């Protein structure tokens, strides 16, 4: 594919809000190549054989088993998917790395955390920011599982405010090494890693600096006990203490003061990968819940036949489908943007960094939406199992506990909600996304007389796509007015930003599902996509309800008098259905299909 073709087909990050996307231009799971399908199957086989069959061991804090299975994953090449071939990896594209992260993460949060910490924040900073000598020395060992990595950023006083860390790095008098002293906490893989990525401050620098530190206990490195945690029981999580730990100057990662940038870009990748890591967890919970509901007899009938259960199953399946749709849409956008950068002469490192950074808004959206869908799905999984769901003898309660951390990892969901809106406003100020023009047009539309023409909704999703375009107007109306009123002070109005963010999130998620389904309906036929069509319509109904609630909450928080009345009228106009969907019928249709399949089969 030429650079011109790629640039024509994909939007820049955040532009989904103001530009129309054609269904042919989105990537879906149904577009996987034969090689990617084989990779997915081999990953699922590994998970079923090595992880899912032994989920009790992960619940019993068998840290050694986590390390053992990680080594097996390394032997199969699963730890080196994203690592360039020059450094011992497979050098696969971004979609393939998402795919493996997705399907390897569903059986247990303990392994998922170990895998994510090692392949992402443990290895990636070196592949993307390391010099050639550092990459040749460390990355091949990390790619094969000979060595494991960990990432030391969080401190007792530095969580979401990552750049406020107190760990110090002092240059020796001979200039040959830095002495690092400080305390890090919540360090995944600490109990069995060979190497840390450590962030510390040199003198009174504004920003922290990254270092590659080998795990040598004789070099002033001590570990705390394994943390007692709600979930991810067999993920090694410890405090790490550095006391005059000597690190050669050549082990500085990138440049002095560049650590905060490294940390933030690692989090961008981590966010979309975390969304992927929540997908197969949902699929497995749905499948187990449906199997149980099909077999559990109460009042002389399987509980799957009850409308209350059907409602839960339909919503669970719909959320999983929507999460897949949005996650792989963004992953391919990132992959294509990386290709554009490489075609323009950027190095692989620079291309990947800029490619992911371009879609930082989408990464935050996905992190929030999919982690919350996963939590909801596991919660309903317990409910469907009833008393058995509360028992540690079934995997439901462990799935629920494991999923809870996803809303905290990679920046809390509250931080990511505000980041999504904040980054979009900054992109608009830089001219990368034209928000002012569309927002002004929405304001003029509010002042005008609404059209009473009957639109032609004969084509598939014609009404739904029209409604999505109007939901975008709600965001532009709310965000545009808020920016106009508060300017740079907007970030101080966190509840307003979070309400606006929820509108933005729902727009991206539902549009992704509709585009995926429309694309597949065109090539496979509407009849074969009947359930996916129902799921897309159901999610739009739910999304619209959220937009109405959050839009009203936002509007009344800062607008008064005539301005408030006009905006509330606009909210009503922009969220109005011409033909209200029969939501009960949609849920029943979806649940009946999932029940007939005895599990989630839409991937």
């Amino acid at each position: 594919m030429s650079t011109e073709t790629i640039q024509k087909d994909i939007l820049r990050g955040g532009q989904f809000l103001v530009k129309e996307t054609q269904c042919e231009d989105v990537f879906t799971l149904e577009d996987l190549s034969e090689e990617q399908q084989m990779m997915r199957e081999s990953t699922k086989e590994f998970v079923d054989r090595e992880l899912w069959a032994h989920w009790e061991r992960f619940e019993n804090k068998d840290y050694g088993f986590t390390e053992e299975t990680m080594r097996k994953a390394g032997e199969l090449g699963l730890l080196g998917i994203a690592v360039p071939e020059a450094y011992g990896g497979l050098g696969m594209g971004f979609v393939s790395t998402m795919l493996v992260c997705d399907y390897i993460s569903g059986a247990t949060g303990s392994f998922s955390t170990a895998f994510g910490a090692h392949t992402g924040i443990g290895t990636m900073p070196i592949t993307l920011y390391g010099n050639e000598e550092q990459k040749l020395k460390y990355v091949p060992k990390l790619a094969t599982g000979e060595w494991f990595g960990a990432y030391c950023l969080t401190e007792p006083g530095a969580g979401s405010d990552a750049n406020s860390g107190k760990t110090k790095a002092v240059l020796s008098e001979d200039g040959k090494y830095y002495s690092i002293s400080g305390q890090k906490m919540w360090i995944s893989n600490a109990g069995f890693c060979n190497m840390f990525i450590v962030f510390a401050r040199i003198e009174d620098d504004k920003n922290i600096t990254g270092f590659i530190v080998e795990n040598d206990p004789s070099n002033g490195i001590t570990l705390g006990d394994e943390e007692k945690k709600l979930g991810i029981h067999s993920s090694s999580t410890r405090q790490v203490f550095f006391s005059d730990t000597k690190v050669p100057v050549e082990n500085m990662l990138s440049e002095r003061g560049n650590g905060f940038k490294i940390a933030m870009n690692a989090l961008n990748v981590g966010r979309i990968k975390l969304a992927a890591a929540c997908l197969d967890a949902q699929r497995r919970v749905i499948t187990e819940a449906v199997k149980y509901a099909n077999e559990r007899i109460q009042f002389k009938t399987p509980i799957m036949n009850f409308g209350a259960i059907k409602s839960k199953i339909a919503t669970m399946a719909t959320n999983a489908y929507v999460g897949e749709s949005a996650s792989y849409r963004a992953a391919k956008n990132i992959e294509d943007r990386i290709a554009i950068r490489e075609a323009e002469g950027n190095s692989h490192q620079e291309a990947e960094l800029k490619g992911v950074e371009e879609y930082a808004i989408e990464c935050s959206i996905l992190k929030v939406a999919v982690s919350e869908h996963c939590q909801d799905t596991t919660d309903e999984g317990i409910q469907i199992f009833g008393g058995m769901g509360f028992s540690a003898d079934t995997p439901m309660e462990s799935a629920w506990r494991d999923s809870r951390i996803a809303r905290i990892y990679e920046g809390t969901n509250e931080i990511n909600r505000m980041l999504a809106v904040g980054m979009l406003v900054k992109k608009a100020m830089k001219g990368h996304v034209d928000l002012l023009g569309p927002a002004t047009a929405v304001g003029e539309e509010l002042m005008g007389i609404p059209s009473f023409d009957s639109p032609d909704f004969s084509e598939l999703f014609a009404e739904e796509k029209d409604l999505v375009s109007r939901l975008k107007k709600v965001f532009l109306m709310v965000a545009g007015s808020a920016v106009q009123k508060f300017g740079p002070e907007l970030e101080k109005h966190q509840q307003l930003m979070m309400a606006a963010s929820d509108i933005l999130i729902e727009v991206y998620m539902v549009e992704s599902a509709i585009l995926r389904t429309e694309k597949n309906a065109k090539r496979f036929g509407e009849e074969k996509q009947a359930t996916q069509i129902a799921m897309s319509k159901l999610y739009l109904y739910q999304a619209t309800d959220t937009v109405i609630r959050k839009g009203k909450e936002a509007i009344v928080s800062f607008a008064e008098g005539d301005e408030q009345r006009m905006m509330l009228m606009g909210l009503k106009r922009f969220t109005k259905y011409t033909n209200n969907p029969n939501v009960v019928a949609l849920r029943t249709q979806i649940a009946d299909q999932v029940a007939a399949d005895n599990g989630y089969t839409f991937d």
Side-chain angles (χ1 to χ4, degrees):
M1 185 181 288
S2 68
T3 303
E4 292 78 13
T5 303
I6 297 172
Q7 288 176 319
K8 179 182 177 183
D9 289 347
I10 68 168
L11 302 179
R12 296 193 67 170
Q15 284 187 334
F16 70 89
L17 189 66
V18 293
K19 291 190 176 183
E20 186 177 358
T21 301
Q22 300 300 318
C23 69
E24 292 81 8
D25 294 333
V26 298
F27 182 86
T28 77
L29 269 175
E30 292 76 19
D31 293 316
L32 293 176
S33 67
E34 189 174 338
E35 181 185 37
Q36 287 170 329
Q37 291 177 41
M38 290 172 62
M39 187 182 303
R40 174 171 63 178
E41 289 310 308
S42 63
T43 303
K44 288 167 71 174
E45 287 172 11
F46 169 78
V47 172
D48 288 339
R49 182 182 67 252
E50 303 291 348
L51 309 180
W52 187 247
H54 307 288
W55 66 268
E56 299 99 328
R57 294 187 66 175
F58 291 104
E59 290 313 298
N60 292 329
K61 302 182 181 179
D62 191 341
Y63 303 107
F65 188 60
T66 300
E67 182 179 356
E68 177 188 326
T69 50
M70 281 285 288
R71 292 204 186 279
K72 289 181 179 178
E75 291 166 5
L76 291 174
L78 296 172
L79 302 182
I81 299 293
V83 174
E85 292 181 72
Y87 310 110
L90 298 180
M92 296 290 186
F94 199 84
V95 171
S96 294
T97 69
M98 279 280 287
L99 191 66
V100 171
C101 182
D102 173 355
Y103 285 91
I104 208 168
S105 300
T108 165
S110 296
F111 183 89
S112 175
T113 298
F115 178 86
H118 172 76
T119 59
I121 52 182
T123 303
M124 185 180 57
I126 305 178
T127 62
L128 296 186
Y129 286 96
N131 58 40
E132 191 66 12
E133 184 180 349
Q134 290 168 344
K135 286 187 288 188
L136 288 170
K137 181 177 181 180
Y138 293 107
V139 177
K141 293 179 181 178
L142 295 168
T144 59
E146 179 185 346
W147 274 30
F148 293 118
Y151 182 83
C152 296
L153 177 64
T154 305
E155 299 182 11
S160 296
D161 185 9
N163 203 33
S164 64
K166 301 291 192 292
T167 296
K168 288 288 185 182
V170 179
L171 184 64
S172 63
E173 289 186 7
D174 61 11
K176 292 184 178 180
Y177 63 87
Y178 284 92
S179 288
I180 294 182
S181 296
Q183 175 186 359
K184 300 292 183 176
M185 65 189 304
W186 309 123
I187 308 307
S188 297
N189 294 354
F192 61 86
C193 75
N194 306 88
M195 181 217 74
F196 301 101
I197 303 293
V198 180
F199 295 90
R201 195 176 310 278
I202 302 172
E203 297 175 344
D204 293 320
D205 287 359
K206 177 183 176 182
N207 292 323
I208 52 181
T209 298
F211 296 89
I212 302 169
V213 182
E214 295 184 20
N215 186 7
D216 178 3
S218 68
N219 188 21
I221 299 175
T222 56
L223 303 179
D225 294 334
E226 290 287 355
E227 298 286 353
K228 297 179 175 66
K229 308 184 296 291
L230 172 70
I232 55 172
H233 280 172
S234 287
S235 164
S236 177
T237 313
R238 297 188 176 194
Q239 292 192 64
V240 183
F241 302 89
F242 299 96
S243 178
D244 289 325
T245 300
K246 293 178 174 56
V247 182
V249 291
E250 56 266 27
N251 275 30
M252 179 186 288
L253 193 57
S254 186
E255 302 167 359
R256 177 172 173 171
N258 216 24
F260 186 61
K261 182 189 247 184
I262 295 171
M264 292 303 99
N265 280 326
L267 287 174
N268 284 335
V269 180
R271 283 163 186 155
I272 188 170
K273 293 289 181 70
L274 182 64
C278 289
L279 293 174
D280 201 51
Q282 291 178 76
R283 296 186 197 105
R284 287 178 181 270
V285 167
I286 293 164
T287 295
E288 292 301 309
V290 170
K291 287 179 179 177
Y292 184 82
N294 276 335
E295 295 170 2
R296 174 69 168 167
I297 305 296
Q298 290 290 277
F299 306 104
K300 300 181 180 179
T301 187
I303 64 171
M304 189 69 228
N305 290 335
F306 297 131
I309 301 297
K310 289 184 178 185
S311 176
K312 294 179 187 300
I313 294 293
T315 300
M316 293 157 73
T318 296
N319 286 346
Y321 179 79
V322 171
E324 289 173 350
S325 306
S327 297
Y328 284 94
R329 172 191 184 183
K332 189 59 164 67
N333 284 162
I334 291 171
E335 183 171 289
D336 286 345
R337 186 62 62 180
I338 291 169
I340 290 171
R341 287 278 182 175
E342 290 181 330
E344 291 173 347
N346 288 173
S347 68
H348 172 75
Q349 290 169 285
E350 187 68 12
E352 186 151 338
L353 280 169
K354 293 296 184 182
V356 175
E357 189 177 359
E358 176 67 52
Y359 295 95
I361 294 166
E362 287 81 352
C363 290
S364 282
I365 286 172
L366 288 165
K367 191 274 177 180
V368 173
V370 185
S371 68
E372 292 182 0
H373 287 166
C374 190
Q375 182 83 82
D376 292 343
T377 294
T378 57
D379 190 72
E380 291 289 37
I382 290 178
Q383 197 70 12
I384 290 167
F385 268 68
M388 288 302 296
F390 204 71
S391 168
D393 290 332
T394 64
M396 285 294 152
E397 64 92 30
S398 63
W400 179 81
R401 286 187 288 98
D402 283 357
S403 70
R404 185 60 184 86
I405 189 64
R407 288 162 55 197
I408 299 171
Y409 274 160
E410 313 297 356
T412 66
N413 283 11
E414 291 72 25
I415 287 286
N416 274 284
R417 278 183 161 90
M418 289 182 287
L419 273 174
V421 174
M423 289 187 292
L424 184 60
V425 171
K426 286 178 182 176
K427 272 195 168 234
M429 290 178 176
K430 290 179 180 178
H432 294 175
V433 179
D434 177 18
L435 289 184
L436 181 60
T440 301
V442 170
E444 292 172 354
E445 185 177 345
L446 287 176
M447 300 291 289
I449 300 172
S451 171
F452 295 101
D453 294 341
S454 297
D456 178 12
F457 289 150
S458 56
E459 289 189 12
L460 175 65
F461 288 138
E463 178 172 4
E464 287 75 18
K465 289 166 77 172
D466 175 69
L467 179 52
V468 170
S469 71
R470 288 186 277 119
L471 296 184
K472 293 180 182 182
K473 292 179 181 179
V474 174
F475 178 85
L476 291 167
M477 176 180 70
V478 170
S481 298
V483 169
Q484 194 172 26
K485 181 161 189 172
F486 299 116
E489 299 289 301
L490 177 62
E491 63 183 24
K492 294 181 180 179
H493 299 267
Q494 291 191 351
Q495 293 187 60
L496 168 58
M497 288 185 73
M498 289 176 69
S501 182
D502 280 337
I503 298 170
L504 184 69
I505 289 167
E506 294 300 342
V507 165
Y508 186 73
M509 300 302 288
V510 72
E511 182 182 65
S512 299
I514 288 172
L515 290 172
R516 174 189 182 183
T517 308
E518 181 187 13
K519 181 178 185 179
N520 289 329
K522 284 183 176 180
R523 57 181 167 182
F524 303 133
E526 290 185 27
E527 187 178 334
K528 290 186 177 179
Q529 293 290 300
T531 307
Q532 290 89 329
I533 290 170
M535 289 192 287
S536 301
K537 290 182 176 181
L538 175 61
Y539 195 88
L540 177 58
Y541 181 87
Q542 296 169 347
T544 303
D545 189 52
T546 298
V547 171
I548 291 169
R549 288 187 293 106
K550 295 298 181 176
K552 184 176 180 181
E553 179 183 319
I555 290 165
V556 300
S557 75
F558 71 88
E560 297 177 342
D562 288 342
E563 181 190 18
Q564 184 187 101
R565 282 190 290 274
M566 183 173 295
M567 290 179 73
L568 289 173
M569 282 195 319
L571 176 65
K572 187 174 181 180
R573 186 199 306 182
F574 293 146
T575 56
K576 183 180 179 181
Y577 270 95
T578 301
N579 302 294
N580 282 293
N582 183 336
V583 180
V584 172
L586 290 175
R587 290 197 194 107
T588 302
Q589 178 184 348
I590 297 162
D592 286 349
Q593 183 64 59
V594 178
D597 293 342
N598 207 29
Y600 184 90
T601 59
F602 303 105
D603 59 332

